Amino acid sequence: DGLKNAETALDLAERLGADRQAIINEMENPQIFESIQEVYGIANGLGITGTPSYIAGNEVVFGAVGYTELKQAVENQTN
């Protein structure tokens, strides 16, 4: 699997049909950078250090838990 970096991500995106240059252009968009920083700050504040992680109301669900567990986390918020 090897080293993961921007070049690897761009290669994959291109293989999946994305416009490589459009992605590169958006990587320099200050609004995109600010959005990523905001999400990172929220995750950091909640102690979320890995992906995937989900927030359902007041509950944080760590890991690739599947539909059933995510559904239960959402239902727990409405009960």
Side-chain angles (χ1 to χ4, degrees), residues 59-71:
E59 184 177 348
V60 179
V61 180
F62 298 97
V65 296
Y67 174 79
T68 302
E69 191 168 331
L70 287 175
K71 183 176 183 238

Side-chain angles (χ1 to χ4, degrees), residues 9-74:
L10 286 167
D11 288 345
L12 176 60
E14 192 171 37
R15 284 197 311 268
L16 294 172
D19 180 331
R20 183 186 198 97
Q21 190 57 51
I23 293 171
I24 291 168
N25 293 344
E26 287 303 311
M27 287 169 55
E28 297 173 5
N29 181 332
Q31 289 177 314
I32 300 288
F33 180 78
E34 288 171 17
S35 294
I36 291 170
Q37 288 300 103
E38 180 181 1
V39 170
Y40 179 79
I42 292 168
N44 195 36
L46 293 170
I48 298 172
T49 59
T51 57
S53 296
Y54 308 91
I55 300 170
N58 295 325
E59 184 177 348
V60 179
V61 180
F62 298 97
V65 296
Y67 174 79
T68 302
E69 191 168 331
L70 287 175
K71 183 176 183 238
Q72 185 62 53
V74 170

